[in-house]
Amino acid sequence: MSSPKISILFLFFILFSVWTTPASATKKSYVVYMGSHSHGSALTRAILQRVSDFHINFLATFLGCKDKAKESIFYSYRRRINGFAADLEEKFVALIQLHPKVISVFPNERRELHTFHSWDFLSLEDNGVVTPGSLWEKAKFGQDIIIGNLDTGVWPENPSFNDEGYGPIPSRWKGECQNDDKVPFSCNRKLIGARYFHKGYDDLRGNNNTSNIPNSSRDTEGHGTHTLSTAAGNFAPNASVIGVYNGTAKGGAPKARVAAYKVCWPAKQGGGCFDADILKAFDFAIDDGVDVISASVGGKPRPYFRDAAAIGAFHAMKEGIVVVTSAGNSGPMLSTVGNIAPWMITVGASTIDREFESNVKLQNGLTIKGTSISYPLPEEKFYPLISGELAKAANATVEDAKLCKQATLDASKVKGKILVCLRGNNTRVDKGHQAVIGGAVGMILCNDQTSGNDIIADVHLLPASHITYNDGLAVFAYINSTNNAMGSITAPKAILGIKPAPTMASFSSRGPNLITPAILKPDITAPGVNVIAAYTEGNNPSNEVFDNRRTTFNVMSGTSMSCPHVSGVVGLLKAIHPDWSPAAIRSALMTTASPIDNTGKPLLDTTKEAATPFASGAGHIRPNLASDPGLVYDLEVNDYLNFLCASGYDSQVIRTFNKAPYICPPLSNSSLLEFNYPSITVPALSGNLIVTRTLTNVGPPSTYTARVGQPPGISVVVEPNVLIFKSQGQKERFSLHIKAVNTTYYLAGVDQHVYGELVWSDGTHTVTSPITVEIAR
């Protein structure tokens, strides 16, 4: 990965080829990443202009003149991140990559919002009751912490962003409130900043094609308002979704200040979240003065220097800013987890012990548990049932009719009945829309086999219930067994104390980590199913064109929703532990998380088997315990640089990345097994090896003893197995001697992974790390 110097002769050849290039050559937009700036944090206009001029002059050496370079560059990253985004012909990309000042050149690609459509979904919680001694109380609800959210913007008028009772904005804040060019709004002492970034989006849609894109930080989709209020929405009494489930809504850090960074644009206009915009938002958020960055965006895992979020998160981490990201919604398949950089906190999605119950009753006496947020049936009685297949229109296929797709149903067969639809292909709410068009009185939505037991409380257009795959089979069997199938749907109600809970969501992306298998991702799991939070009034609750409703709060699901839960808790932890590093905060969250549900058994996956660390990471978040973890696995910037060395990056690249002299340690001393991560992951174990870790005491003087839950077929020995901490801040090192002792256990099976845990305890604190071992085939 070295970057050789370009010879004068070679440079002449480059320039000659530029001068002879046809004007019609195709251009694409790229991000040219050049590491860190050498200027400090006290920026002046002169400094910013000097950076812009440098980028123009640099690109001009390849394009032949400054005018072409200036025309090509649409972003100059000038604050904490060094680089630019530009339209470039492909032949120049490789040449620019060769320059020693350049770390990487990568396409300005589309990233995703991690919401499970349609719309798949913070809860109304407990009406503001705060337990004495809780993290909320100790942190004063996150007062004066600043949380920045990279998303679709914000609906400022929502009651979750009310600033009543707030004091002056923290003096360190350097951000601004970019107003709306069509519907003006003002920020306040709660919502202290808002910015928008769409040049990367515009560029991929076609230069200057911005007529339908407002210059606005206002959220017209709902996702950004929802995630920002989940992280730090103020107390909002009398919250409901279309009049259902009243309560008090509040975010994880209700008194924190918030700032919106709009980087995602409507999918209906070919939108999404683009690398160039994401990196620009990180550059501003870091400089503005946020304490936490919550980013519910991402995509397929990519090498660290070709991933805008990973690059931005590294620069944030260097400034002490914690970056929280979503794992992605590509589960339950393995190796789908995104946002895998070890300097991020990556969050999976799981359920909570509250459900929105709307059950199915069949006339044969069977009652089936279901969920929905919808209006009740007009009368509590049985109605005729009909499947999409039996309601098939003459010109439709059976498969399409089963799915209740558009124009596949015969209205004369559907009218006055409860329509039973199979999940898949078209959106869940659209299936209900087709039922409405046909005159149905209600809908039962049955999971397909892939969706299994995951049921979602959508804001349906008609009385509806969403049921599991096996229950769906029972409904279809009943319909097919009689000519007079009858059923009903109970009125929706909120049920608390559900067991078992939490369970993993099927959509939550799983490990192993494709880029660095020795780093477990996701790190942790948090509530991400049927989450109620603030919503935009610029969009309907289903995000479907046929829906004319508006609601101040909405229910959504996805790792987009679990991410800001953790972001809010991080804000609370920073409020009470301002000296903790981002790594210490992540460690506190992970080592106090629970892999056990509320029945005292292992947290379940959607298969109803125990969830592995590849699904849940260290387990489900436990905020109160995270405030007093006892010990942490801490990391400094140089530890991450050593990680990059061990990952194969050379000193030249890392020096540019860090903008300071740096020499990678000798290869023999550079190992991912030495990286002080709170989880222990061993890929392709053959024979035996030694893994080392260092613990830092953040509690009172104490003696900790190790206990190992041995992975099947694996021997794990801790040396030393007793650590004595005499003072706060003291560090102690230990080793894990890991050996495969019974490989036949694995060779007989398909999955070569086994799981255990390492627990350090002083009788008061329990510091737990998951152990994941893969046996070499």
Side-chain angles (χ1 to χ4, degrees), residues 51-124:
V51 174
S52 296
D53 292 343
F54 165 72
H55 292 153
I56 292 169
N57 290 333
F58 175 85
L59 186 57
T61 63
F62 294 91
L63 303 189
C65 70
K66 290 184 180 180
D67 287 344
K68 287 185 178 180
K70 190 173 182 179
E71 182 182 348
S72 295
I73 294 175
F74 58 88
Y75 273 142
S76 184
Y77 304 110
R78 307 185 297 175
R79 287 162 170 78
R80 306 303 176 91
I81 299 168
N82 189 7
F84 57 89
D87 295 312
L88 299 170
E89 295 172 35
E90 189 174 343
K91 66 179 180 179
F92 292 125
V93 173
L95 299 173
I96 294 171
Q97 177 70 76
L98 290 174
H99 197 283
K101 290 185 181 295
V102 174
I103 292 178
S104 64
V105 184
F106 56 93
N108 171 35
E109 292 182 338
R110 183 182 184 275
R111 311 303 274 167
E112 301 169 352
L113 291 168
H114 285 321
T115 307
F116 197 55
H117 283 267
S118 97
W119 269 42
D120 284 39
F121 314 115
L122 215 191
S123 65
L124 296 179

Side-chain angles (χ1 to χ4, degrees), residues 440-452:
V441 296
M443 177 187 69
I444 301 171
L445 176 61
C446 305
N447 269 354
D448 56 8
Q449 190 168 10
T450 301
S451 301

Side-chain angles (χ1 to χ4, degrees), residues 288-566:
D288 284 346
V290 301
D291 299 296
V292 182
I293 294 176
S294 187
S296 295
V297 298
K300 294 180 180 179
R302 294 188 293 185
Y304 304 117
F305 291 148
R306 298 177 64 84
D307 185 326
I311 291 169
F314 186 91
H315 288 270
M317 176 274 298
K318 289 203 302 179
E319 302 296 330
I321 300 167
V322 183
V323 178
V324 186
T325 58
S326 47
N329 294 345
S330 299
M333 297 294 291
L334 295 177
S335 299
T336 53
V337 63
N339 289 322
I340 43 75
W343 44 84
M344 297 171 162
I345 299 176
T346 309
V347 187
S350 43
T351 66
I352 55 178
D353 63 347
R354 179 206 61 202
E355 290 182 353
F356 301 123
E357 186 178 279
S358 182
N359 297 333
V360 172
K361 290 185 176 181
L362 304 181
Q363 199 172 44
N364 65 3
L366 184 63
T367 297
I368 296 171
K369 179 181 176 181
T371 189
S372 176
I373 292 183
S374 61
Y375 305 106
L377 285 167
E379 294 183 62
E380 292 186 7
K381 67 176 187 178
F382 287 110
Y383 293 82
L385 298 178
I386 188 168
S387 66
E389 179 180 2
L390 295 177
K392 184 181 83 69
N395 60 346
T397 67
V398 170
E399 293 304 314
D400 284 350
K402 284 181 180 178
L403 296 167
C404 299
K405 295 173 69 173
Q406 184 177 2
T408 65
L409 304 173
D410 186 333
S412 65
K413 300 176 181 178
V414 172
K415 188 175 181 179
K417 300 176 182 177
I418 295 176
L419 178 66
V420 183
C421 301
L422 182 66
R423 182 177 180 180
N425 198 284
N426 56 326
T427 67
R428 299 187 303 275
V429 175
D430 180 56
K431 297 174 192 292
H433 182 228
Q434 303 310 315
V436 170
I437 292 173
V441 296
M443 177 187 69
I444 301 171
L445 176 61
C446 305
N447 269 354
D448 56 8
Q449 190 168 10
T450 301
S451 301
N453 297 313
D454 257 14
I455 54 177
I456 305 295
D458 292 311
V459 186
H460 286 287
L461 296 166
L462 78 171
S465 179
H466 184 178
I467 64 177
T468 68
Y469 171 67
N470 287 331
D471 288 337
L473 293 179
V475 172
F476 285 122
Y478 170 60
I479 291 173
N480 293 330
S481 69
T482 176
N483 292 325
N484 189 33
M486 303 287 285
S488 185
I489 299 172
T490 64
K493 59 182 178 180
I495 305 295
L496 303 177
I498 296 297
K499 294 183 177 181
T503 61
M504 290 306 302
S506 67
F507 59 76
S508 187
S509 291
R510 269 67 168 173
N513 181 335
L514 284 179
I515 302 299
T516 310
I519 300 296
L520 177 68
K521 290 288 180 174
D523 294 307
I524 202 167
T525 186
V529 178
N530 295 339
V531 174
I532 293 178
Y535 199 66
T536 178
E537 293 181 34
N539 192 17
N540 58 66
S542 67
N543 198 38
E544 298 285 2
V545 293
F546 48 75
D547 190 351
N548 295 319
R549 298 172 297 174
R550 293 293 184 269
T551 183
T552 307
F553 293 84
N554 198 12
V555 61
M556 300 172 74
S557 293
T559 54
S560 278
M561 285 63 246
S562 55
C563 166
H565 273 84
V566 175

